[in-house]
Amino acid sequence: MIAFIIKRILTAIPVLLVIASLTFIMVRIVPGGPFDEERSLPPEIVANLRAKYHLDEPVHKQYFLYLGRLVRGDLGVSYKYVNRTVTDIIIDAFPVSLQLGLAGLIIAVLVGVPLGTVAAVNRGTWLDFTAMFASTAGVSLPTFVIGALLIFVFGIWLRILPVGLWESPVHLILPAITLAFGPTAFLARLTRASVLEILEKDWVRTARSKGLTENATIIKHVVRNALVPVVTVLGPLTAILITGSFIVEFVYAIPGMGRFFITAVINRDYDLIMGTTLLFAIILITTNTIVDIIYKLLDPRMEVEA
Amino acid sequence: MNRTFQLHSPSPLVGTTLLVSRFVLLLALVLISCNLSACSSNKKRYEPGTLRMNLGSEPPSLDWHTTTDSNSYDVIANVMIGLTQYTQKLECKPSCASSWEILDGGKRYVFHLRDDIFWSDGKPVTAHDFEYAWRRLEDPATGGSYAFFLYDVENAQRINTGLTKDLSELGAHAIDDKTFEVRLKKPTGYFLYLTATCATFPMRKDVVEKHGNRWTEPENIVTNGPFLLDKWQHEYKIELAANQRFCDGKPALDRVKMFMVPEQSTAFALYENDELDYVDNRSFSTSDVHRYKDSPEYHSFPLLRGTYVGFNVTKPPFTDKRIRRAVAMAIDKSVFPKILRRGEVPSPAWIPQGLPGYSADSGLPYDVAKARSLLAEAGYPDGRGLPPISFLYPNREDSKLVVEALQAQLKESLNLRIELMNQEWKVYLATRKNDPPPLFRGSWNADFPDSETFMNLFTSQNGNNCTRWKNEEYDRLVAGAAGELDRVKRDRDYQRADTILCRDECPIVPMYVATQNVLLKPWLKGLLFNALDVQYFKTVRIGETNKSVSGNEQPNRATPCVTREGPVSRKSDGGSQ
């Protein structure tokens, strides 16, 4: 297992290098620069700013300067948030997105997997139709619609939950539910399909013929095996949820990472674009590695390979 | 068979689901009952002594040399004061400087500082703090975006462009602890306004040098204004605390909470739930304006922010000024307040009303018959023979509404085929600067309340003049007016220049002046707005609705939003030119 993890870390390095290089090139190809504003600054001021951030150097030199800093763990500075480094921004914002994302993930797993299982076990009944109707709605409805709906019902109409801000644990409820809505529906549909497939397997029939109760059969033999495809999607899903959702954080005024994935591009905040992209890549690689380890725990016959 | 039957019968998991459903139902009932009990109690709708407002987004920086945006200025203007400050009439009155002398025909200013102004760490504010701040602003290493504000000061531009490395050559010196002298290259009619802007505020050398880039964090920054920077949760909230040692006395508020809620509908919901005490354009949509327009909470006033349509005069067909004039006369500007619905004021001229040189006659009137005749005179009767004309605008909702209205109007009145070019904001800016199409949309905010800030925009050398229009007489008039200390002559020069711009040559068509729309809770008093859109909180009080807490004549109404010509709540004690 340790060899596997080390191998994964070593293979991640070239992957990250490729991602960093591609992102570096793409952000510089896009028209517009970090200091373009409605009122363009005098050329001498722009020259000072470009010199300050080494943007007056040839692009290849900028690239090697960036890589040199990256190797030293320096993600650079934000051109928009003048006195803050990219590391400062990530340190401030990532824990918020992590909390929100984990809450959303827990809701999605705790609701989605049982919902899908119940629907599959009760295939063709009203429970199945209801669960699938809800999950279709959950997959189809955009997050901003769900957010607005929840704010209206619980924040404005009933006035039992805050409409936004990040002041106390109560403020986590609506955004976490909003964030979890889509993934819950997706996991429910995936689990249902997977459970239905497993229910037809010979070993399930064997388990029943051995006299196991239906509950034990479903939990020990069906759900456990049906979870393999669910766990597969949990890797990227976790990465997406814990790095923040632009819409959820925007709608509920939550100071997380999600907004930077969009605003950094809008502002042409080069180092911040690079930093957020690399952060997402690192988290994605990490969660996929964890997923591979979980495969082994779910099914000891599986071999984990880098 | 028996097993198969069990598979389709209600399994124990169904029972679990029912249990969960019951739990959720119970939880909902508990929450609703909690809410009902909260409603029945006398819940406070405001926090006594605390103002809660929405900044909209994170201030990019609180370093007043490197930031340029209004969010940052909303914070800085409440924690710092400069040599002078604006009155509600946007005149300059003494602030750190108790008085000043204008010498050598307007080329030398000597400011005398008050003795009772202290930094938040207890040290006195001295002329050396201004000297350091102004030198730092011009130092190229600072990368100060508004360094050009001081280009009229001797050697400022040479220092900022690297022609000299010696910062002490800057024509701004501390003569002693309480006397600050500024030498200008030439007389400058608007110079005093610059001493009230954030970029020229004093700064502490020891603090900046000790903390480097982190000097603006709450634990490091020292300030001299009515409030102190107490907390800064990035991307979420800034909290200001009253400065007990402020030179003009402690402000009425104990605390200001400045949230950063980017989504308008969320901010508006917070206002409606009494979680914000006031909201402005950043926090409510056009439909909300419409809904509240008859409410006593609603106020609207014009800003010094003009929007225009620009012609690239180097691209046909707008190389011919008759066609530019025809387009200008074919636009009915009265439609903009109707489609934008925020109380916009149509602009007859580029200089906004209230500034030197304004005249409603400087621009061209709406006259479709005359416009058609001009177009025919240029060789395109009824628009025949003209190719489709590209019209560039950014992907913003208000811009879209405006350009679509213009497209329809020009089609109907002149039979012009306008092709709309919608671009992402930064791409739009790059296109407009590097290769502007024949038509483009533009807007401009005033840096200070003087015509110079608007008129300089269309001089030949100005980098923001995307029309490529150059006019020697216009340049001469604007340069002359900027240095003119005689108010009457200055007004006349600006008016003539505005006439050249909007009537004779027509490289632009002024469209409208934007407005600030605000909703104020009844318990909020004394909030001062001005046309520069800088919001000051030192006079704000949060109190009972049945008490007059700031001398307002109507205790149940908030302070009227004040325009330059509007009511004055504080006596101006002079100092303006």
Side-chain angles (χ1 to χ4, degrees):
Chain A
M1 187 69 75
I2 291 169
F4 164 75
I5 293 170
I6 292 169
K7 216 169 171 182
R8 270 297 173 91
I9 290 170
L10 290 176
T11 50
I13 292 169
V15 171
L16 289 174
L17 185 66
V18 170
I19 291 170
S21 305
L22 285 175
T23 312
F24 186 92
I25 294 163
M26 282 193 288
V27 296
R28 276 159 178 80
I29 288 173
V30 178
F35 310 119
D36 289 338
E37 296 296 344
E38 173 80 54
R39 56 175 61 214
S40 58
L41 297 166
E44 48 270 55
I45 304 281
V46 175
N48 289 340
L49 287 166
R50 291 180 67 81
K52 183 177 176 179
Y53 296 109
H54 301 287
L55 295 174
D56 56 342
E57 309 268 11
V59 175
H60 69 275
K61 204 169 174 185
Q62 289 179 43
Y63 174 70
F64 288 114
L65 273 171
Y66 182 78
L67 286 187
R69 283 194 277 117
L70 200 60
V71 170
R72 295 193 301 274
D74 179 1
L75 292 173
V77 294
S78 167
Y79 306 143
K80 172 79 176 173
Y81 306 107
V82 186
N83 290 344
R84 297 175 74 197
T85 65
V86 174
T87 309
D88 285 341
I89 291 172
I90 291 174
I91 287 172
D92 283 341
F94 181 61
V96 175
S97 290
L98 184 66
Q99 285 177 56
L100 179 60
L102 286 178
L105 186 69
I106 290 167
I107 294 171
V109 172
L110 289 186
V111 178
V113 173
L115 197 66
T117 309
V118 169
V121 170
N122 299 283
R123 187 183 186 182
T125 66
W126 67 271
L127 267 171
D128 183 24
F129 290 130
T130 309
M132 285 307 100
F133 175 78
S135 62
T136 304
V139 170
S140 314
L141 283 172
T143 312
F144 64 87
V145 173
I146 294 163
L149 205 64
L150 291 176
I151 286 174
F152 175 73
V153 174
F154 295 100
I156 296 173
W157 186 38
L158 297 174
R159 289 199 176 205
I160 54 177
L161 288 169
V163 297
L165 304 182
W166 191 247
E167 299 280 289
S168 68
V170 178
H171 288 77
L172 181 68
I173 297 174
L174 285 186
I177 293 172
T178 309
L179 188 64
F181 221 82
T184 303
F186 176 65
L187 288 181
R189 295 179 71 80
L190 191 67
T191 307
R192 179 180 178 273
S194 186
V195 168
L196 282 176
E197 191 186 331
I198 299 294
L199 281 172
E200 302 299 321
K201 298 288 182 190
D202 290 342
W203 74 75
V204 176
R205 198 174 300 124
T206 308
R208 285 175 181 145
S209 63
K210 277 165 48 183
L212 277 181
T213 62
E214 185 61 22
N215 224 4
T217 308
I218 289 171
I219 291 169
K220 280 188 181 171
H221 295 281
V222 177
V223 173
R224 184 171 175 160
N225 286 290
L227 280 180
V228 173
V230 174
V231 169
T232 306
V233 299
L234 276 183
L237 188 63
T238 306
I240 290 166
L241 289 180
I242 67 174
T243 47
S245 155
F246 173 75
I247 292 171
V248 172
E249 290 175 5
F250 200 77
V251 167
Y252 290 99
I254 294 169
M257 276 298 297
R259 64 180 71 185
F260 292 114
F261 287 94
I262 307 292
T263 56
V265 178
I266 292 170
N267 295 326
R268 307 291 193 273
D269 202 341
Y270 296 154
D271 285 1
L272 190 54
I273 296 171
M274 301 289 293
T276 49
T277 307
L278 287 174
L279 175 75
F280 183 76
I282 290 168
I283 289 172
L284 190 61
I285 291 168
T286 308
T287 51
N288 278 338
T289 306
I290 294 169
V291 162
D292 285 347
I293 294 168
I294 294 173
Y295 279 154
K296 178 77 177 166
L297 297 176
L298 282 174
D299 187 350
R301 294 170 303 173
M302 287 191 180
E303 289 299 320
V304 283
E305 287 178 7
Chain B
M1 286 297 286
N2 197 21
R3 293 287 176 198
T4 312
F5 174 73
Q6 276 190 358
L7 185 67
H8 294 289
S9 67
S11 77
L13 284 172
V14 177
T16 310
T17 313
L18 286 173
L19 269 177
V20 170
S21 310
R22 283 172 190 165
F23 173 75
V24 170
L25 188 66
L26 185 68
L27 187 69
L29 285 172
V30 168
L31 286 170
I32 290 167
S33 60
C34 287
N35 175 55
L36 289 175
S37 62
C39 288
S40 60
S41 66
N42 288 323
K43 187 181 170 188
K44 276 181 184 168
R45 293 174 298 172
Y46 57 86
E47 292 179 26
T50 299
L51 174 70
R52 301 158 302 168
M53 57 87 70
N54 179 30
L55 276 179
S57 59
E58 166 91 351
S61 170
L62 293 185
D63 180 338
W64 42 97
H65 287 168
T66 53
T67 196
T68 57
D69 77 297
S70 61
N71 285 353
S72 305
Y73 287 161
D74 278 343
V75 182
I76 294 165
N78 285 291
V79 298
M80 282 297 301
I81 54 171
L83 287 168
T84 64
Q85 60 182 303
Y86 291 122
T87 65
Q88 282 308 105
K89 275 188 165 178
L90 289 178
E91 292 169 338
C92 285
K93 70 170 192 173
S95 189
C96 281
S98 56
S99 63
W100 53 85
E101 300 157 66
I102 303 173
L103 306 165
D104 301 344
K107 286 179 69 176
R108 190 159 70 95
Y109 285 69
V110 177
F111 294 91
H112 302 284
L113 270 55
R114 287 168 61 170
D115 292 322
D116 58 347
I117 298 187
F118 296 92
W119 292 100
S120 47
D121 63 356
K123 292 185 179 175
V125 174
T126 70
H128 298 283
D129 298 323
F130 283 96
E131 182 185 86
Y132 167 71
W134 287 32
R135 286 179 181 180
R136 182 178 182 264
L137 177 62
E138 296 310 310
D139 186 347
T142 305
S145 299
Y146 276 164
F148 68 91
F149 268 18
L150 296 183
Y151 276 6
D152 290 317
V153 176
E154 275 183 9
N155 294 322
Q157 191 163 5
R158 292 184 70 240
I159 292 170
N160 192 240
T161 52
L163 292 175
T164 175
K165 304 281 180 200
D166 185 1
L167 298 179
S168 67
E169 287 185 21
L170 182 70
H173 297 280
I175 294 175
D176 55 46
D177 275 359
K178 294 294 170 190
T179 313
F180 184 57
E181 181 196 59
V182 180
R183 293 193 308 271
L184 304 180
K185 291 190 288 191
K186 56 181 173 39
T188 306
Y190 54 86
F191 174 73
L192 210 53
Y193 290 127
L194 300 178
T195 62
T197 59
C198 293
T200 62
F201 286 171
M203 198 175 274
R204 278 275 294 280
K205 184 180 182 186
D206 55 332
V207 174
V208 175
E209 289 182 349
K210 182 179 176 189
H211 300 290
N213 275 347
R214 306 193 72 84
W215 80 269
T216 54
E217 292 299 315
E219 62 273 21
N220 303 329
I221 195 169
V222 293
T223 54
N224 67 351
F227 293 94
L228 309 172
L229 182 66
D230 190 38
K231 290 180 189 167
W232 188 358
Q233 291 171 263
H234 290 286
E235 300 289 335
Y236 181 61
K237 182 172 64 172
I238 281 177
E239 287 194 36
L240 309 181
N243 181 0
Q244 308 288 337
R245 287 189 291 204
F246 181 54
C247 55
D248 290 340
K250 177 191 167 296
L253 289 171
D254 297 322
R255 187 159 283 273
V256 180
K257 291 182 180 175
M258 309 168 109
F259 292 98
M260 301 160 200
V261 183
E263 171 57 32
Q264 285 184 331
S265 59
T266 307
F268 195 71
L270 288 167
Y271 176 79
E272 293 204 307
N273 275 10
D274 298 338
E275 291 178 64
L276 292 176
D277 298 310
Y278 84 96
V279 285
D280 57 21
N281 279 348
R282 292 173 284 206
S283 307
F284 60 109
S285 64
T286 301
S287 59
D288 296 325
V289 173
H290 198 62
R291 194 151 62 87
Y292 269 83
K293 68 177 182 183
D294 297 324
S295 162
E297 295 175 26
Y298 174 71
H299 305 272
S300 173
F301 58 98
L303 297 172
L304 290 176
R305 183 179 298 164
T307 298
Y308 64 93
V309 170
F311 302 102
N312 181 344
V313 301
T314 63
K315 284 191 176 173
F318 298 122
T319 46
D320 186 336
K321 72 177 174 189
R322 288 171 300 187
I323 301 178
R324 301 198 297 264
R325 298 183 83 217
V327 169
M329 295 176 87
I331 295 173
D332 178 8
K333 298 172 189 174
S334 67
V335 302
F336 299 126
K338 293 172 197 158
I339 57 173
L340 295 171
R341 297 192 297 168
R342 284 180 181 261
E344 289 76 9
V345 182
S347 311
W350 181 232
I351 295 178
Q353 192 171 6
L355 293 189
Y358 166 80
S359 168
D361 297 329
S362 297
L364 288 164
Y366 174 53
D367 185 342
V368 176
K370 177 73 178 163
R372 284 178 180 150
S373 138
L374 276 170
L375 197 62
E377 196 182 304
Y380 303 102
D382 196 30
R384 286 194 296 277
L386 275 175
I389 299 165
S390 298
F391 191 166
L392 175 70
Y393 71 101
N395 58 349
R396 294 184 172 184
E397 188 55 31
D398 59 337
S399 298
K400 183 169 176 279
L401 290 171
V402 168
V403 298
E404 284 176 352
L406 289 171
Q407 184 187 38
Q409 282 191 21
L410 294 176
K411 176 70 183 168
E412 191 182 330
S413 52
L414 299 180
N415 195 28
L416 299 186
R417 283 174 295 157
I418 304 291
E419 289 182 347
L420 300 180
M421 283 173 68
N422 178 13
Q423 292 186 345
E424 186 265 349
W425 179 243
K426 293 267 182 177
V427 180
Y428 152 81
L429 292 174
T431 308
R432 200 183 69 173
K433 186 172 183 182
N434 301 323
D435 184 23
L439 273 177
F440 58 88
R441 166 259 179 219
S443 66
W444 192 254
N445 291 350
D447 293 314
F448 45 87
D450 190 83
S451 301
E452 166 66 14
T453 192
F454 286 95
M455 298 305 281
N456 192 281
L457 174 61
F458 296 106
T459 53
S460 304
Q461 301 304 319
N462 194 302
N464 287 295
N465 179 4
C466 301
T467 64
R468 313 281 167 100
W469 174 73
K470 294 180 191 330
N471 184 288
E472 282 181 17
E473 189 188 359
Y474 179 85
D475 290 353
R476 186 178 52 75
L477 285 165
V478 172
E484 182 59 61
L485 299 180
D486 179 338
R487 184 72 183 250
V488 176
K489 188 168 184 316
R490 197 161 185 256
D491 282 13
R492 197 180 59 217
D493 284 354
Y494 275 135
Q495 188 178 338
R496 174 68 195 128
D498 204 17
T499 305
I500 292 172
L501 183 73
C502 303
R503 178 178 278 271
D504 300 346
E505 290 288 321
C506 228
I508 63 159
V509 186
M511 293 282 114
Y512 57 87
V513 170
T515 51
Q516 179 62 280
N517 295 266
V518 289
L519 288 176
L520 306 170
K521 289 289 181 189
W523 54 79
L524 187 154
K525 306 288 177 187
L527 184 56
L528 303 178
F529 293 96
N530 61 46
L532 286 175
D533 207 17
V534 182
Q535 298 171 4
Y536 298 103
F537 303 139
K538 62 186 172 187
T539 54
V540 171
R541 289 172 183 270
I542 299 288
E544 298 295 340
T545 56
N546 59 351
K547 291 179 185 173
S548 179
V549 287
S550 66
N552 293 341
E553 288 182 12
Q554 294 171 295
N556 287 325
R557 283 177 65 101
T559 303
C561 301
V562 186
T563 65
R564 294 181 305 287
E565 290 75 39
V568 184
S569 62
R570 298 184 63 175
K571 187 182 174 188
S572 163
D573 36 8
S576 68
Q577 294 179 63

